């Protein structure tokens, strides 16, 4: 796969703008002007982004977008034909060509992105950019009934995103810092099933495993929503109960725990 850095891309764009195509030329050889419409992007949240355009021949054009680039319309010249578009924000774990890989032991970055496949066959093509929230902040509030817990681990099987925005299967494990002996937070990528597990350990080793993904699913949480909601989970082992609260919902769902 060939990668063209942003400086080269800007040069190519400038060349296209200066030369253009005359009516006598084969317009099939002319670039397509990709009009990226950022009018629906909240620039108070999305202050920068990285643009990836993959052409039909496998070449990848990249461009870093600063705040001024995210105002209303950004025009970029791309080769005519089928292209894959990715616009990513919020991560330093970016892969060449787009996509994110979460290192084992880390949690997910607060990532927003827009991906699509386009037929850039005409002189102009217009794309409305919608930067979707593709992370879930899960807060754990735990009461262990007097048991002294040394660490917790959240384990799953999604370790990032492919260039097309789909969740990438791979090992995920994160041990968040426990604050005040009972609170912690983990940022999760979009899940593909209900296999998330919470492991709780004391000084002797793993004390208990909880099928966290199943409790989240039973609450009605939808991992396929365009913008993922945040979750608060309260675990009270003194009364053997888990409560799941989803941001923006009025109801809290409670489940009995079998030890």
């Amino acid at each position: 796969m060939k990668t063209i850095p942003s400086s080269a891309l800007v040069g190519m764009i400038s060349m296209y703008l200066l030369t253009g195509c005359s009516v006598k030329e084969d317009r099939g050889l002319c670039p397509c002007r990709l009009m990226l419409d950022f009018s629906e992007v909240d620039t108070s949240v999305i202050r920068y982004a990285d643009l990836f355009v993959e052409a039909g021949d496998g070449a990848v054009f990249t461009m870093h977008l600063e705040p001024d680039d995210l105002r209303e319309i950004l025009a970029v010249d791309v080769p005519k034909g089928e292209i894959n578009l990715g616009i990513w924000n919020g991560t330093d774990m970016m892969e060449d060509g787009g996509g994110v890989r979460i290192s084992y032991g880390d949690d997910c970055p607060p990532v927003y992105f827009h991906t699509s496949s386009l037929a850039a066959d005409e002189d102009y093509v217009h794309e409305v950019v919608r930067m979707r929230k593709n992370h879930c902040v899960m807060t754990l509030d735990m009461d262990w009934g007097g048991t002294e817990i040394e660490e917790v681990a959240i384990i799953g099987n999604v370790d990032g995103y492919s260039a097309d925005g789909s969740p990438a299967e791979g090992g995920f494990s994160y041990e968040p810092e426990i604050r005040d002996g009972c609170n912690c937070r983990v940022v999760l990528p979009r899940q593909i099933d209900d296999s998330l597990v919470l492991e709780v350990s004391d000084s002797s080793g793993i004390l208990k495993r909880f099928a966290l993904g199943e409790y989240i699913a039973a609450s009605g949480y939808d991992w396929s929503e365009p913008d993922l909601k945040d979750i608060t989970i309260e675990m009270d082992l003194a009364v053997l109960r888990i409560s799941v609260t989803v941001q923006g919902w009025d109801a809290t769902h409670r489940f009995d725990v079998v030890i």
Side-chain angles (χ1 to χ4, degrees):
M1 177 180 290
K2 298 175 289 182
T3 301
I4 299 178
S6 57
S7 58
L9 177 59
V10 172
M12 292 171 61
I13 293 172
S14 300
M15 178 182 67
Y16 287 140
L17 291 175
L18 290 171
T19 58
C21 285
S22 70
V23 293
K24 295 181 180 180
E25 292 176 310
D26 181 359
R27 300 193 64 83
L29 300 177
C30 298
C32 171
R33 181 67 58 83
L34 173 60
M35 311 297 291
L36 295 173
D37 184 347
F38 288 95
S39 61
E40 296 189 18
V41 173
D42 184 352
T43 53
S44 67
V45 176
I46 310 298
R47 301 187 60 82
Y48 69 92
D50 289 292
L51 168 68
F52 296 84
V53 178
E54 182 181 12
D57 62 359
V60 176
F61 307 93
T62 68
M63 185 177 183
H64 182 71
L65 306 181
E66 298 290 348
D68 286 346
D69 297 319
L70 305 179
R71 304 186 189 283
E72 298 297 327
I73 302 292
L74 175 67
V76 180
D77 285 334
V78 298
K80 282 190 174 178
E82 294 291 327
I83 63 170
N84 295 318
L85 171 69
I87 304 172
W88 299 76
N89 165 269
T91 178
D92 57 1
M93 302 177 184
M94 196 76 63
E95 294 196 312
D96 291 341
V100 174
R101 278 295 180 274
I102 304 167
S103 298
Y104 196 79
D106 291 336
D107 62 348
C108 183
V111 60
Y112 298 79
F113 60 77
H114 171 99
T115 60
S116 63
S117 296
L118 300 173
D121 298 325
E122 305 297 330
D123 291 339
Y124 295 89
V125 62
H126 182 266
E127 176 81 349
V128 177
V129 177
R130 297 179 175 89
M131 300 293 286
R132 297 302 191 181
K133 180 176 177 287
N134 278 275
H135 64 279
C136 165
V137 179
M138 183 175 69
T139 301
L140 291 170
D141 187 358
M142 303 166 288
D143 182 349
W144 303 116
T147 302
E148 187 172 343
I149 299 301
E150 292 202 351
E151 66 181 33
V152 297
I154 293 88
I155 300 169
N157 61 9
V158 175
D159 69 345
Y161 293 96
S162 300
D164 64 0
S166 59
E169 292 190 55
F172 175 95
S173 179
Y174 180 65
E175 298 178 2
E177 177 186 359
I178 302 176
R179 301 172 182 173
D180 301 322
C182 61
N183 297 309
C184 61
R185 193 186 80 158
V186 57
V187 183
L188 298 169
R190 189 178 297 273
Q191 300 295 295
I192 57 177
D193 55 28
D194 305 331
S195 63
L196 273 178
V197 171
L198 172 67
E199 285 187 350
V200 179
S201 300
D202 62 8
S203 58
S204 63
I206 296 175
L207 181 66
K208 180 66 179 176
R209 289 184 176 91
F210 296 92
L212 205 58
E214 295 181 10
Y215 290 115
I216 294 172
S219 74
Y221 189 90
D222 185 0
W223 289 104
S224 67
E225 284 194 1
D227 295 292
L228 293 178
K229 294 180 173 63
D230 296 334
I231 306 172
T232 297
I233 295 180
E234 298 178 358
M235 307 184 70
D236 190 342
L237 296 192
V239 296
L240 302 180
R241 177 165 292 173
I242 289 180
S243 301
V244 179
T245 303
V246 180
Q247 183 183 45
W249 292 7
D250 294 332
T252 295
H253 302 267
R254 296 179 174 83
F255 308 94
D256 294 331
V257 178
V258 178
I259 300 294

